[in-house]
Amino acid sequence: MRKRMAAFAGMALASALALTGCSGSASGTAEGSEDTFKVAAFTAGYGTPGGKSTLDDFVEKGEALGWDVTLYTSEFDYDKINTDVTSAITQGVDAILAGFPDPRQVSPLVNAAKNANIPIFSIDGGVEPNDDFVVDVTFRQQQLAELTVGALEEAMGGLSGKDVMVIGHDPHIGIMTRSNIAQELLKAGGANIAGGEMKQVLNPGTSQEEALKFVTDYLQANPEGLDGVWVGWDHAALGATQAINEAGRDDIFVTGVDALGIAVNEIKKDGPFYGSVFQDWTSVVDQVVGDMDAYQKSGTLPSENFVEVEGTLIDRSNVDGFTPAL
Amino acid sequence: MTKTDTLPATTTAPRVRERASISQLFWQGGTIVALIVLIAFFTAMRPDVFLSFGNMRNILEQIAILTIIAVGQTVVMVVGDFDLSVGTNATLSGATAASLMIGGTPIPLAIVAGLCVGLLVGVVNGLLVAFLQLSAFVATLATMTTVGGLAFIATSGTTLYGMPEDFFWIGQGRPMGIPMPIFFAVAAAIILWLVLRFTTLGRRWYAVGGNAEVARLSGVNVRWTRFLAFAVAGLASAIGGIILVSRLGSASSASGNNYMMLAVAAVFLGMTILKSGQANVGGTLVGVGIIGVMSNGLNIIGVNTYIQQVLTGLIIIAAVTLSALKARKS
Amino acid sequence: MTAVNSSETGTALLEPVAALEARGIVKRFDGVHALNGVSLSVQPGEIHALLGENGAGKSTLIKIITGLYQPDSGQIVRDGNELEFANVRAANKAGVVALYQELSIIPTISVAENILLGEQMPSRGSLVDWGALRKRARAQLDRLNQRIPLGKLAGQLSPVQQTMVSVARALATDARVLILDEPTAALTDLEITDLFAVLRGLREEGVAIIYVSHRLEEVFELCDRLTIMRNGETITTKPVADTTVDEVISTMVGRSAGELFPERSTATDQVVLTVEGLNGRRVKDVSFQAYAGEVLGIGGLAGSGRSELLRLLAGAQKYSSGTVTLAGQRLPHAPGVGRVLEAGIALVPEERRSQGVIVSAPIDDNIALGNLKAVSSLGWVSDRKVVDLARDGLANLQIKARGPRQAVGQLSGGNQQKVVLAKMLARKPKVLLMDEPTRGIDVGTKAEIYRLIRELVAGGTTVIAVSSELPELIGMSDRIIIMHEGRIAGEVQAEGADDELLLSYCYGKTD
């Protein structure tokens, strides 16, 4: 009797696990007719705000065009992504969409796609041209860094002699690139990097709390040693903002990237959070869907395999007219 | 063994001080030594900063939520199991409360709902481990994964925000200049300490952890006792998770997940304090203290986070090794 | 009696070269003498009993002989060569092997692998040579006349087969001195006969055997000579034929054994417990009554259902059918231990360390565990009541301990058993169930336990005690029920009970 109950509970649990584990991969209809255009879309960043909405947007637009889109997701687990997409290739797909791929970690599926002669279209797949993708549409990290450093300079009233903390996360290639550029820009402008080097957040999922601790502890030790905090993404920037508010300071400013709704709210308060950058992922998705549509209809591939688009700075001047997408 | 077998009969004479004295109890492990050495080290590095009132308050605030989750974990480890789901449970409970509030549910109701979610996860763990007799590792590993998935669903994978301002008082209020989370942590630690130390339930928890069969043959309802331990851990996780959401003003899909490893580490550190190697609230607080002092102190002297992580692991190894060596000697 | 302290060092020189000799061994722990000049000499082809109460120093001596401890002074001489065993492996190499109470087999690997574990494992390169392994393992088992399947997992063997496997492993390492510590504790009488045949065979081969046991009947049946230790000293060594059980006991306890069992006196005809048609795991259709002031002994072979019957009565196992009525009140079906305790039936379980006490916890916490209601109000425990309860137990049962806060694991077996008793007696049970009340306890404490049981029944309690030792069963009980394959095979009055009749019940004869 007890054994049967245990078996039942085990099954219930297993199916619950299966449900949550595969929640993303059931979007498309598995049975497609011969001529249906089949797309395997994947992202390892489905747990990030931009990742989910962008990929969901892609699936929606693709299916509107009559494509059979299957979405494979994971939480930064490229092993799973490689396995899933490779087996999808084996079962036959016509094109692959890479959502925010780390180009360093997808070579198994890239090789499998090459062997099967299947093109990979990429959204935000790195910071330089990459022959693995027939097209990679991404934001220009240099421009993102310039916008945010510029905003910080404006807030602090110049860079020279200012102490600025830089918070980054090197495992993320985009954040790594823009935070290093920003650090160089800050140094070139004559600012000091607070603490001597960039602070690294260990886990993106808990970045708000980590950044809160960085700034709180730093201010405790160096109350006079901070004028600005440059943060690679909004989530962590919110933690920095909170620390400054709690320390009762109004002379330290923060910038982020993403223009999350919650960040936009902070910018509206005229507090420490000074500016963030809006990346229009919807237009990026439109461009990639267009490229893919052309490929389906006529077999033509995009002329350029690396397309850089530009972000928009959201600060006190334009925040009231801005509707956040995330 | 052999020594005590031959104890002369005169030693039956009752002694005045039966309970181990405080110092004896506390100096048994290297863990306290490690905490004191750390505090001394950071004080020496930054004498004006580290021991200041402001920084002490910082440290306590930073470890408050971990304390709540870790004392819940302590109870489960007292009965000889552990709960891997406390981190994702905190995330899910906090996210549930947050999304209800954003949807317009009154604050108290949303909080109660969040607490119920956490309690429910604990109840499921308890059913699986105590009544279906699955191993705690397997059962809570599975619930950890499931609950982590549910947290993604509850937050839609993004960050929830826009809870009513009044709710933030729980995590951000500062009556008498003391951050609210500290009050909650102190209350949680005191309550669970009292329960473990002075109630029949606490006795039963320790007995089940010491030897479940002996407890059963002594008339203890072992399953129910073990079940309650998981329920308590679930509730503690929910409290921690909800305070975290209030503290940050946002609920993301993984905001509390880190607390599982830290809580287990804190309880393990605390177990080295008692000769019997049992989990105990006092020890857990010392463990939490070590983790908090490490993180704060290393930030203050400007050590990079990658190195911080390595050092934290080394400190844990050092403290546990020191206690093991001391135990072997005595 | 005093004459046995004869000059054995003088005679040792006249004897042939000993297989193993310990000379003047001294060992201190924290300045306290555990061994104070112990000497022991074992000849090849001899089974030599090592006797003494718990704490007399037997275990320490064996640990020194096998290299686990280093002596502070004294020598170990093997075949005339003085040796120093730095560790157990060194002793094994010299042919000295001990088999401990906790059987030293690995349950999850095969019989053959167990026999040839470690250096003995035949191999080709780094691969195990399975053919040679089986051949050599089979040879060892043949030597013992054992037909145990070589491929079977050792954990699936019966206790006696496991013992045989560990003996075979010792022989595979070419052991010439074999030390057995309570080898029969887990064995049935039939299995013991089997083991003894094997040991006698090894004696013929010239193996020297040191045999440690509390069971004197076995010693007199099997051994050639015996050495008695007391308080860390060897008191005497003499041929078994030259002494008697009584003399051995009085030498071990250092005083005249007197009557081990107190007078019977108090059985009444007032029914306390009525069991009707009880069925459960290994228990079939058992019905009996027990009376106030009586000791009801339950005997039978291992596996006959006697322990299971006690566990059913204590609520530790569920019964499928039947009724239990205590003092006129019928107990609910499957009530659980807590409810049964509440009703007034308490169990002192068979396995002390795994069922009776939490060894890591102090005495007072252990006693309080069975009496949580008595030491608390509204769920709140009073430390004072806990300590008081423990002090009462320490005083009433004369438990030798430093105080109520001492960890139970540091006590001797007899004192641990008294802690279990104290825990259950504090409930003032109407019926006290005791499973093997004196297993692994030294003779002196045994007598105390028997006296305690008599004091209890004199106060009107009913004691139902299971024992696998017939003399104990007869000595301590008023009335005896013998079980066979789950059923009651027979009932006799203990006074003047006939060993043979009881045994025949044990083997299934019914009236």
Short mmCIF file of all heavy atoms in Angstrom, two decimals, chain A residues 2 9 13 17 47 52 75 197 200 203 205-206 208-209 212 214 216-217 220-221 235 242 246 261-262 265, chain B residues 46 52 55 58 62 132 146 152 156-157 159 161 172 223 247-248 250 252 255 258-259 296 299 304-306:
data_model
loop_
_atom_site.label_atom_id
_atom_site.label_comp_id
_atom_site.label_asym_id
_atom_site.label_seq_id
_atom_site.Cartn_x
_atom_site.Cartn_y
_atom_site.Cartn_z
N ARG A 2 1.84 1.24 0.94
CA ARG A 2 2.68 2.41 1.01
C ARG A 2 3.53 2.52 -0.24
O ARG A 2 3.76 3.58 -0.77
CB ARG A 2 3.58 2.35 2.24
CG ARG A 2 4.52 3.54 2.25
CD ARG A 2 5.25 3.71 3.54
NE ARG A 2 4.39 3.53 4.69
CZ ARG A 2 4.77 2.86 5.76
NH1 ARG A 2 5.96 2.32 5.82
NH2 ARG A 2 3.97 2.74 6.78
N ALA A 9 3.24 9.12 -5.82
CA ALA A 9 3.81 10.43 -5.53
C ALA A 9 5.00 10.69 -6.42
O ALA A 9 5.18 11.79 -6.95
CB ALA A 9 4.22 10.52 -4.06
N LEU A 13 5.37 13.75 -9.01
CA LEU A 13 6.50 14.65 -8.91
C LEU A 13 7.23 14.73 -10.24
O LEU A 13 7.57 15.80 -10.73
CB LEU A 13 7.43 14.14 -7.82
CG LEU A 13 8.40 15.16 -7.30
CD1 LEU A 13 7.62 16.22 -6.54
CD2 LEU A 13 9.39 14.48 -6.38
N LEU A 17 7.92 17.86 -12.60
CA LEU A 17 9.25 18.25 -13.02
C LEU A 17 9.31 18.39 -14.53
O LEU A 17 9.84 19.35 -15.07
CB LEU A 17 10.27 17.19 -12.59
CG LEU A 17 10.72 17.27 -11.15
CD1 LEU A 17 11.62 16.10 -10.84
CD2 LEU A 17 11.45 18.56 -10.94
N GLY A 47 15.61 33.17 -18.62
CA GLY A 47 15.32 33.68 -17.28
C GLY A 47 15.59 35.17 -17.14
O GLY A 47 15.33 35.75 -16.11
N LYS A 52 13.33 36.63 -22.37
CA LYS A 52 12.02 36.00 -22.50
C LYS A 52 11.13 36.77 -23.47
O LYS A 52 10.57 36.20 -24.39
CB LYS A 52 11.34 35.90 -21.13
CG LYS A 52 9.99 35.22 -21.21
CD LYS A 52 9.40 35.03 -19.82
CE LYS A 52 7.89 34.92 -19.86
NZ LYS A 52 7.39 33.87 -20.73
N GLU A 75 18.45 27.71 -18.45
CA GLU A 75 18.95 28.77 -17.59
C GLU A 75 20.47 28.74 -17.64
O GLU A 75 21.12 28.11 -16.81
CB GLU A 75 18.44 28.53 -16.16
CG GLU A 75 18.35 29.77 -15.33
CD GLU A 75 17.90 29.40 -13.93
OE1 GLU A 75 17.24 28.36 -13.78
OE2 GLU A 75 18.23 30.13 -13.00
N GLU A 197 39.32 48.42 -9.22
CA GLU A 197 38.97 47.58 -10.37
C GLU A 197 37.46 47.39 -10.42
O GLU A 197 36.75 47.73 -9.48
CB GLU A 197 39.66 46.21 -10.26
CG GLU A 197 39.29 45.49 -8.96
CD GLU A 197 39.90 44.11 -8.85
OE1 GLU A 197 40.59 43.68 -9.78
OE2 GLU A 197 39.63 43.45 -7.84
N GLN A 200 32.67 42.54 -9.71
CA GLN A 200 32.02 41.47 -10.47
C GLN A 200 30.84 40.88 -9.67
O GLN A 200 31.03 40.43 -8.55
CB GLN A 200 33.02 40.35 -10.76
CG GLN A 200 34.10 40.72 -11.75
CD GLN A 200 33.58 40.85 -13.16
OE1 GLN A 200 32.52 40.32 -13.49
NE2 GLN A 200 34.33 41.57 -14.00
N ASN A 203 26.27 36.19 -9.53
CA ASN A 203 25.11 35.47 -10.03
C ASN A 203 24.07 36.48 -10.53
O ASN A 203 23.57 37.27 -9.75
CB ASN A 203 24.54 34.64 -8.87
CG ASN A 203 23.38 33.78 -9.30
OD1 ASN A 203 22.76 34.02 -10.34
ND2 ASN A 203 23.09 32.78 -8.50
N GLY A 205 21.06 36.23 -11.20
CA GLY A 205 19.76 36.10 -10.56
C GLY A 205 19.65 36.89 -9.26
O GLY A 205 18.58 37.31 -8.87
N THR A 206 20.78 37.07 -8.59
CA THR A 206 20.73 37.78 -7.31
C THR A 206 21.51 39.09 -7.39
O THR A 206 21.99 39.60 -6.39
CB THR A 206 21.34 36.91 -6.19
OG1 THR A 206 22.67 36.56 -6.57
CG2 THR A 206 20.55 35.65 -5.99
N GLN A 208 20.74 42.18 -7.87
CA GLN A 208 20.29 43.39 -7.16
C GLN A 208 20.84 43.40 -5.73
O GLN A 208 21.36 44.39 -5.24
CB GLN A 208 18.76 43.45 -7.15
CG GLN A 208 18.24 44.76 -6.57
CD GLN A 208 16.72 44.82 -6.53
OE1 GLN A 208 16.04 43.99 -7.13
NE2 GLN A 208 16.19 45.78 -5.82
N GLU A 209 20.72 42.23 -5.05
CA GLU A 209 21.20 42.14 -3.68
C GLU A 209 22.72 42.28 -3.62
O GLU A 209 23.26 42.92 -2.71
CB GLU A 209 20.75 40.80 -3.10
CG GLU A 209 20.58 40.83 -1.61
CD GLU A 209 20.25 39.45 -1.07
OE1 GLU A 209 19.98 38.54 -1.87
OE2 GLU A 209 20.27 39.29 0.15
N LEU A 212 23.66 45.85 -4.09
CA LEU A 212 23.29 46.58 -2.87
C LEU A 212 24.39 46.46 -1.82
O LEU A 212 24.79 47.44 -1.19
CB LEU A 212 21.96 46.03 -2.36
CG LEU A 212 21.45 46.45 -0.98
CD1 LEU A 212 21.25 47.96 -0.92
CD2 LEU A 212 20.13 45.76 -0.68
N PHE A 214 27.63 45.61 -2.35
CA PHE A 214 28.86 46.27 -2.81
C PHE A 214 28.87 47.74 -2.41
O PHE A 214 29.80 48.25 -1.82
CB PHE A 214 28.95 46.26 -4.35
CG PHE A 214 29.33 44.95 -4.97
CD1 PHE A 214 28.99 44.68 -6.29
CD2 PHE A 214 30.03 44.00 -4.26
CE1 PHE A 214 29.33 43.49 -6.88
CE2 PHE A 214 30.38 42.80 -4.85
CZ PHE A 214 30.02 42.55 -6.17
N THR A 216 26.78 49.49 -0.43
CA THR A 216 26.64 49.77 1.00
C THR A 216 27.99 49.65 1.70
O THR A 216 28.42 50.55 2.45
CB THR A 216 25.66 48.78 1.64
OG1 THR A 216 24.42 48.85 0.95
CG2 THR A 216 25.43 49.12 3.10
N ASP A 217 28.65 48.52 1.47
CA ASP A 217 29.93 48.29 2.16
C ASP A 217 30.98 49.30 1.72
O ASP A 217 31.77 49.78 2.53
CB ASP A 217 30.42 46.85 1.89
CG ASP A 217 29.54 45.82 2.58
OD1 ASP A 217 28.78 46.22 3.48
OD2 ASP A 217 29.61 44.64 2.23
N GLN A 220 30.38 52.59 3.33
CA GLN A 220 30.74 52.52 4.73
C GLN A 220 32.22 52.80 4.92
O GLN A 220 32.62 53.53 5.81
CB GLN A 220 30.41 51.10 5.25
CG GLN A 220 30.47 50.98 6.75
CD GLN A 220 29.36 51.78 7.41
OE1 GLN A 220 28.22 51.73 6.96
NE2 GLN A 220 29.69 52.53 8.43
N ALA A 221 33.01 52.17 4.05
CA ALA A 221 34.46 52.30 4.20
C ALA A 221 34.98 53.61 3.61
O ALA A 221 35.96 54.14 4.08
CB ALA A 221 35.15 51.11 3.53
N HIS A 235 19.13 45.69 -13.42
CA HIS A 235 18.81 44.93 -12.22
C HIS A 235 19.81 45.24 -11.10
O HIS A 235 19.46 45.51 -9.96
CB HIS A 235 18.83 43.45 -12.56
CG HIS A 235 17.79 42.67 -11.85
ND1 HIS A 235 18.09 41.86 -10.80
CD2 HIS A 235 16.46 42.60 -12.03
CE1 HIS A 235 16.96 41.31 -10.37
NE2 HIS A 235 15.96 41.74 -11.09
N GLN A 242 19.50 51.71 -4.47
CA GLN A 242 18.94 51.50 -3.14
C GLN A 242 19.98 51.79 -2.06
O GLN A 242 19.69 52.43 -1.06
CB GLN A 242 18.46 50.06 -3.06
CG GLN A 242 17.40 49.84 -2.01
CD GLN A 242 16.78 48.48 -2.16
OE1 GLN A 242 17.13 47.70 -3.06
NE2 GLN A 242 15.86 48.16 -1.29
N GLU A 246 19.66 54.54 0.83
CA GLU A 246 19.68 54.17 2.25
C GLU A 246 20.79 54.88 3.00
O GLU A 246 20.68 55.10 4.20
CB GLU A 246 19.83 52.64 2.39
CG GLU A 246 18.50 51.95 2.14
CD GLU A 246 18.61 50.45 2.14
OE1 GLU A 246 19.69 49.92 2.51
OE2 GLU A 246 17.62 49.80 1.78
N GLY A 261 11.11 48.60 -16.68
CA GLY A 261 10.06 49.46 -16.13
C GLY A 261 10.39 49.96 -14.74
O GLY A 261 10.21 51.14 -14.42
N ILE A 262 10.91 49.08 -13.92
CA ILE A 262 11.20 49.47 -12.53
C ILE A 262 12.34 50.50 -12.50
O ILE A 262 12.36 51.40 -11.67
CB ILE A 262 11.52 48.21 -11.69
CG1 ILE A 262 11.74 48.58 -10.22
CG2 ILE A 262 12.71 47.45 -12.22
CD1 ILE A 262 11.82 47.37 -9.31
N ASN A 265 10.92 53.87 -13.49
CA ASN A 265 10.28 54.47 -12.33
C ASN A 265 11.28 55.20 -11.46
O ASN A 265 11.00 56.28 -10.93
CB ASN A 265 9.60 53.39 -11.48
CG ASN A 265 8.26 52.99 -12.03
OD1 ASN A 265 7.83 53.54 -13.05
ND2 ASN A 265 7.59 52.06 -11.38
N ARG B 46 40.79 47.96 8.98
CA ARG B 46 40.08 49.25 8.91
C ARG B 46 39.48 49.58 10.26
O ARG B 46 38.26 49.48 10.46
CB ARG B 46 38.98 49.21 7.85
CG ARG B 46 39.46 49.06 6.41
CD ARG B 46 40.35 50.22 5.95
NE ARG B 46 39.70 51.52 6.02
CZ ARG B 46 39.03 52.06 5.01
NH1 ARG B 46 38.94 51.42 3.86
NH2 ARG B 46 38.45 53.22 5.13
N SER B 52 32.47 50.16 13.44
CA SER B 52 31.58 51.29 13.67
C SER B 52 30.14 50.83 13.78
O SER B 52 29.77 49.77 13.27
CB SER B 52 31.70 52.29 12.52
OG SER B 52 31.15 51.73 11.35
N ASN B 55 28.50 50.19 10.44
CA ASN B 55 28.87 48.97 9.72
C ASN B 55 28.31 47.73 10.41
O ASN B 55 27.90 46.77 9.74
CB ASN B 55 30.38 48.86 9.57
CG ASN B 55 30.75 47.83 8.53
OD1 ASN B 55 30.21 47.85 7.44
ND2 ASN B 55 31.62 46.90 8.90
N ASN B 58 25.02 47.44 9.19
CA ASN B 58 25.06 46.91 7.82
C ASN B 58 25.16 45.40 7.82
O ASN B 58 24.42 44.71 7.12
CB ASN B 58 26.32 47.41 7.10
CG ASN B 58 26.08 48.75 6.46
OD1 ASN B 58 24.94 49.20 6.40
ND2 ASN B 58 27.15 49.36 6.02
N GLN B 62 22.55 42.75 6.47
CA GLN B 62 22.87 41.88 5.33
C GLN B 62 22.68 40.40 5.64
O GLN B 62 22.44 39.61 4.74
CB GLN B 62 24.32 42.16 4.87
CG GLN B 62 24.46 43.48 4.12
CD GLN B 62 25.90 43.91 3.95
OE1 GLN B 62 26.82 43.22 4.38
NE2 GLN B 62 26.10 45.05 3.32
N LEU B 132 6.35 9.25 3.07
CA LEU B 132 6.66 8.32 1.99
C LEU B 132 8.09 7.81 2.09
O LEU B 132 8.52 6.99 1.30
CB LEU B 132 6.44 9.00 0.64
CG LEU B 132 4.98 9.40 0.41
CD1 LEU B 132 4.83 10.16 -0.90
CD2 LEU B 132 4.09 8.17 0.38
N THR B 146 11.39 21.81 -8.97
CA THR B 146 10.00 22.13 -9.30
C THR B 146 9.65 23.55 -8.85
O THR B 146 9.10 24.34 -9.61
CB THR B 146 9.06 21.14 -8.60
OG1 THR B 146 9.46 19.82 -8.96
CG2 THR B 146 7.62 21.37 -9.01
N PHE B 152 9.83 30.78 -11.80
CA PHE B 152 9.93 31.39 -13.13
C PHE B 152 8.54 31.71 -13.67
O PHE B 152 8.30 32.75 -14.27
CB PHE B 152 10.65 30.45 -14.10
CG PHE B 152 12.14 30.61 -14.05
CD1 PHE B 152 12.93 29.63 -13.48
CD2 PHE B 152 12.73 31.74 -14.57
CE1 PHE B 152 14.30 29.79 -13.41
CE2 PHE B 152 14.11 31.89 -14.51
CZ PHE B 152 14.89 30.93 -13.94
N SER B 156 7.00 35.25 -14.52
CA SER B 156 7.12 35.26 -15.97
C SER B 156 8.57 35.44 -16.40
O SER B 156 8.84 36.01 -17.45
CB SER B 156 6.29 36.38 -16.61
OG SER B 156 4.98 36.33 -16.13
N GLY B 157 9.47 35.00 -15.60
CA GLY B 157 10.88 35.10 -15.95
C GLY B 157 11.45 36.51 -15.84
O GLY B 157 12.61 36.73 -16.11
N THR B 159 11.35 40.60 -13.76
CA THR B 159 11.37 41.17 -12.43
C THR B 159 10.03 41.84 -12.14
O THR B 159 9.59 42.68 -12.91
CB THR B 159 12.50 42.20 -12.32
OG1 THR B 159 13.73 41.54 -12.62
CG2 THR B 159 12.56 42.78 -10.92
N TYR B 161 7.67 44.33 -10.05
CA TYR B 161 7.83 45.52 -9.23
C TYR B 161 6.51 46.25 -9.18
O TYR B 161 5.56 45.87 -9.86
CB TYR B 161 8.93 46.42 -9.78
CG TYR B 161 8.61 46.97 -11.14
CD1 TYR B 161 8.05 48.23 -11.28
CD2 TYR B 161 8.87 46.22 -12.28
CE1 TYR B 161 7.73 48.73 -12.53
CE2 TYR B 161 8.55 46.70 -13.53
CZ TYR B 161 7.98 47.96 -13.66
OH TYR B 161 7.68 48.45 -14.89
N GLN B 172 12.40 47.57 4.53
CA GLN B 172 13.21 48.78 4.44
C GLN B 172 13.00 49.73 5.60
O GLN B 172 13.74 50.71 5.74
CB GLN B 172 12.92 49.50 3.13
CG GLN B 172 13.26 48.66 1.92
CD GLN B 172 12.92 49.34 0.60
OE1 GLN B 172 12.72 50.54 0.55
NE2 GLN B 172 12.85 48.56 -0.46
N ARG B 223 7.23 10.22 12.50
CA ARG B 223 6.86 10.80 11.21
C ARG B 223 6.33 12.21 11.37
O ARG B 223 6.71 13.12 10.64
CB ARG B 223 5.76 9.95 10.58
CG ARG B 223 6.27 8.63 10.11
CD ARG B 223 5.15 7.84 9.53
NE ARG B 223 5.62 6.54 9.14
CZ ARG B 223 4.86 5.65 8.53
NH1 ARG B 223 3.61 5.94 8.25
NH2 ARG B 223 5.36 4.49 8.19
N ARG B 247 12.59 44.10 0.90
CA ARG B 247 13.88 44.78 1.03
C ARG B 247 14.34 45.33 -0.31
O ARG B 247 14.83 46.43 -0.42
CB ARG B 247 14.89 43.77 1.57
CG ARG B 247 16.33 44.19 1.53
CD ARG B 247 16.75 44.79 2.85
NE ARG B 247 18.10 45.33 2.79
CZ ARG B 247 18.39 46.58 2.47
NH1 ARG B 247 17.41 47.42 2.18
NH2 ARG B 247 19.63 47.00 2.45
N LEU B 248 14.19 44.51 -1.37
CA LEU B 248 14.70 44.90 -2.68
C LEU B 248 13.68 45.71 -3.46
O LEU B 248 14.02 46.36 -4.44
CB LEU B 248 15.07 43.65 -3.50
CG LEU B 248 16.20 42.80 -2.92
CD1 LEU B 248 16.44 41.58 -3.80
CD2 LEU B 248 17.48 43.62 -2.80
N SER B 250 11.58 44.48 -5.28
CA SER B 250 11.33 43.77 -6.53
C SER B 250 11.41 42.28 -6.27
O SER B 250 11.98 41.84 -5.28
CB SER B 250 12.38 44.14 -7.58
OG SER B 250 13.62 43.54 -7.26
N SER B 252 12.50 38.89 -8.41
CA SER B 252 12.94 38.31 -9.66
C SER B 252 12.83 36.80 -9.57
O SER B 252 12.49 36.24 -8.54
CB SER B 252 14.37 38.74 -10.00
OG SER B 252 15.28 38.03 -9.21
N SER B 255 15.74 35.38 -7.06
CA SER B 255 16.38 36.29 -6.09
C SER B 255 16.81 35.60 -4.80
O SER B 255 17.77 36.00 -4.18
CB SER B 255 15.42 37.44 -5.76
OG SER B 255 14.15 36.92 -5.43
N ASN B 258 20.22 31.68 -3.94
CA ASN B 258 21.54 31.53 -3.33
C ASN B 258 21.48 31.14 -1.86
O ASN B 258 22.43 30.61 -1.31
CB ASN B 258 22.29 32.85 -3.40
CG ASN B 258 23.09 32.96 -4.66
OD1 ASN B 258 23.03 32.05 -5.49
ND2 ASN B 258 23.82 34.03 -4.80
N TYR B 259 20.35 31.45 -1.22
CA TYR B 259 20.28 31.26 0.23
C TYR B 259 20.38 29.81 0.65
O TYR B 259 20.73 29.51 1.78
CB TYR B 259 19.00 31.89 0.78
CG TYR B 259 19.11 33.39 0.91
CD1 TYR B 259 18.35 34.23 0.14
CD2 TYR B 259 20.02 33.93 1.80
CE1 TYR B 259 18.47 35.61 0.25
CE2 TYR B 259 20.15 35.30 1.93
CZ TYR B 259 19.38 36.13 1.15
OH TYR B 259 19.52 37.49 1.28
N ASN B 296 31.15 41.26 4.09
CA ASN B 296 31.24 42.69 4.37
C ASN B 296 32.69 43.14 4.49
O ASN B 296 33.11 44.12 3.88
CB ASN B 296 30.47 43.00 5.66
CG ASN B 296 30.72 44.41 6.16
OD1 ASN B 296 31.66 44.64 6.89
ND2 ASN B 296 29.88 45.35 5.75
N ASN B 299 34.56 43.16 1.22
CA ASN B 299 34.13 44.31 0.42
C ASN B 299 34.81 45.57 0.91
O ASN B 299 35.24 46.41 0.12
CB ASN B 299 32.61 44.49 0.51
CG ASN B 299 31.88 43.65 -0.52
OD1 ASN B 299 32.49 43.19 -1.48
ND2 ASN B 299 30.60 43.45 -0.31
N ASN B 304 38.28 41.39 -4.50
CA ASN B 304 37.37 41.10 -5.60
C ASN B 304 36.51 39.87 -5.32
O ASN B 304 36.87 38.98 -4.56
CB ASN B 304 38.24 41.09 -6.85
CG ASN B 304 38.16 39.91 -7.74
OD1 ASN B 304 37.43 38.96 -7.52
ND2 ASN B 304 38.93 40.01 -8.79
N THR B 305 35.31 39.85 -5.89
CA THR B 305 34.32 38.85 -5.48
C THR B 305 34.73 37.42 -5.82
O THR B 305 34.34 36.49 -5.13
CB THR B 305 32.96 39.12 -6.16
OG1 THR B 305 33.18 39.52 -7.50
CG2 THR B 305 32.18 40.14 -5.41
N TYR B 306 35.48 37.26 -6.89
CA TYR B 306 35.91 35.89 -7.20
C TYR B 306 36.79 35.37 -6.08
O TYR B 306 36.65 34.24 -5.62
CB TYR B 306 36.68 35.86 -8.53
CG TYR B 306 35.85 36.27 -9.73
CD1 TYR B 306 36.44 36.64 -10.92
CD2 TYR B 306 34.46 36.28 -9.66
CE1 TYR B 306 35.69 37.00 -12.03
CE2 TYR B 306 33.70 36.65 -10.76
CZ TYR B 306 34.31 37.02 -11.94
OH TYR B 306 33.57 37.38 -13.01
#
